[in-house]
Amino acid sequence: MPFALPPPAPRAVTRRALLAAAVALPALASGRGPVRLRFSHVVAPDTPKGRMALHFQALVHERAGDRLRVEVHPDSQLWGDDDEIEALRLGAVEMLAPSLSKFGMAGVPEFEVFDLPYLFSEAAQVRRVTEGPVGQALLRRLERQQMLGLGFLDNGLKHMSAQRPLRRVADFAGLRVRVQASRVIEAQWRALGAQPVVLPFAETRRALASGVVNATENPLSNFLTQGLASVQPQLTLTGHGYLGYAVVTNPRFWASLPMADQRLLTDALRAALAQGNRWAAQLNRDALLALQQQTGVAVHQPSEAERDGLRRALRGVSQMVERGPQGQWLKDVRAVLLAK
Ligand code: LMR
């Protein structure tokens, strides 16, 4: 089945972001008193991203005392998927770590290559891409959209959930699936015969509970900490895609910091990201146990033949990216994966 990517939707500047930006301008480092660095994210504190942000906060405090004050705002409490990147551009927050899937609609479609189903089979493969020249080139692309990319963080492989097991293509018929705003992810679900519905992360549980959508995908740490087990009784360990993050800051804010502070923050973040990657693998393993032991969710492991069936159904999505404007990026990523 042929797929075509629609052009990125223009993002509305929210009133809330504009207002907040007006009061946020003093956040630029002025040499007068402590610098406040608000780090906003959409997930729970006890997730790879949540823990990494708190670790970064602790490291900066240890090294700079009150001079550089990192404030962590989890759970979409400060900004959510709809407005966080806009808020960063406007100076209403200093640091974010959106999932890689969310940069496409923010004008950096190269990042949607990471959403390709079955491109990666483990986070370590992604690391080879993000830690090499391709990862660095991707971070530089963010500058075109008024973001400064500071590094990558894993969550892990995504799995699918619904009111029924999702083993064969026929199981997907009629599903309405909550997805992140990524055209590759939308194409993935359409290829399986389901209808993707873009919703902010913070609204996912409620939308599943009310029946607005009846399926979703995420790594297990997010599935557990969002309480999705109570609204999605069947979890299939498809491991079909990767979910990770890029940490970004506002370039004007960054340029306003003395070099020594930029170095301190860069070093603290590097250490926090390395630790965050170690936690990510562990948290996702722990989440599987917790889901099996503490919730009533039924966990299904598709057979090799079932996996192959899904993979075959999704081939058109790879072809769509190969032939589209991000084809060269996909080639570059594949070259890293093939190199020994
Ligand atoms: C989602 O929106 O499903 C995830 O990207 C949330 C996150 O940041 O892990």
Side-chain angles (χ1 to χ4, degrees):
M1 200 196 311
F3 296 100
L5 289 177
R11 290 183 64 85
V13 176
T14 62
R15 207 173 107 78
R16 198 172 154 220
L18 279 172
L19 287 174
V23 295
L25 288 176
L28 295 184
S30 61
R32 286 178 273 116
V35 174
R36 181 165 69 138
L37 193 159
R38 289 162 293 184
F39 190 153
S40 171
H41 67 80
V42 301
V43 293
D46 203 18
T47 55
K49 181 162 57 180
R51 280 214 194 165
M52 184 282 291
L54 291 171
H55 190 48
F56 172 64
Q57 178 186 50
L59 290 176
V60 173
H61 184 68
E62 210 175 278
R63 298 171 188 188
D66 287 335
R67 200 166 48 74
L68 291 173
R69 219 172 57 219
V70 177
E71 289 173 7
V72 180
H73 301 272
D75 282 321
S76 309
Q77 284 166 6
L78 186 59
W79 301 106
D81 284 337
D82 276 347
D83 46 22
E84 64 176 9
I85 290 180
E86 206 64 43
L88 185 86
R89 287 174 176 145
L90 291 168
V93 65
E94 286 72 42
M95 207 175 257
L96 303 173
S99 82
L100 302 176
S101 317
K102 290 171 187 165
F103 288 103
M105 291 301 192
V108 201
E110 296 84 349
F111 279 74
E112 289 183 346
V113 165
F114 288 102
D115 291 330
L116 211 60
Y118 298 113
L119 181 60
F120 305 106
S121 52
E122 54 180 12
Q125 289 180 323
V126 183
R127 209 81 51 67
R128 281 172 37 210
V129 175
T130 54
E131 288 178 358
V134 177
Q136 295 316 302
L138 282 167
L139 289 183
R140 280 197 299 278
R141 286 273 155 153
L142 293 166
E143 287 163 25
R144 298 180 180 181
Q145 292 297 334
Q146 303 159 56
M147 289 177 269
L148 182 67
L150 297 175
F152 291 96
L153 174 72
D154 286 335
N155 189 324
L157 292 182
K158 294 182 290 184
H159 304 283
M160 294 169 171
S161 62
Q163 304 290 329
R164 55 181 184 248
L166 300 172
R167 293 171 173 280
R168 286 170 288 267
V169 178
D171 299 331
F172 291 80
L175 289 182
R176 285 172 55 79
V177 189
R178 179 271 162 176
V179 296
Q180 306 181 73
S182 153
R183 288 160 297 171
V184 172
I185 294 178
E186 289 186 40
Q188 166 200 292
W189 286 98
R190 284 209 188 90
L192 294 168
Q195 187 191 340
V197 180
V198 175
L199 287 174
F201 187 64
E203 286 170 28
T204 301
R205 191 182 180 287
R206 205 171 34 208
L208 286 163
S210 66
V212 168
V213 286
N214 54 16
T216 192
E217 61 172 14
N218 239 298
L220 299 176
S221 52
N222 278 347
F223 189 85
L224 176 73
T225 52
Q226 291 302 304
L228 299 189
S230 60
V231 289
Q232 292 277 269
Q234 309 283 334
L235 175 64
T236 308
L237 298 179
T238 46
H240 60 283
Y242 169 80
L243 191 143
Y245 309 103
V247 178
V248 289
T249 188
N250 177 313
R252 277 182 304 134
F253 165 74
W254 193 255
S256 74
L257 295 170
M259 284 288 276
D261 286 348
Q262 289 181 3
R263 226 178 353 257
L264 186 151
L265 290 169
T266 307
D267 289 349
L269 187 65
R270 190 175 302 125
L273 292 173
Q275 182 61 48
N277 283 339
R278 286 190 287 274
W279 278 330
Q282 188 60 46
L283 283 170
N284 282 308
R285 279 195 294 271
D286 292 350
L288 180 57
L289 279 183
L291 287 165
Q292 286 169 323
Q293 291 170 3
Q294 296 161 26
T295 73
V297 79
V299 179
H300 308 278
Q301 184 78 58
S303 67
E304 263 317 304
E306 287 166 344
R307 262 180 223 285
D308 282 349
L310 296 183
R311 214 178 257 129
R312 268 198 305 280
L314 291 167
R315 238 177 238 154
V317 183
S318 300
Q319 285 161 4
M320 172 193 84
V321 177
E322 281 158 14
R323 292 174 193 152
Q326 310 317 325
Q328 186 56 47
W329 288 97
L330 179 54
K331 264 197 198 138
D332 293 346
V333 169
R334 284 187 171 143
V336 175
L337 297 182
L338 287 174
K340 263 283 141 223

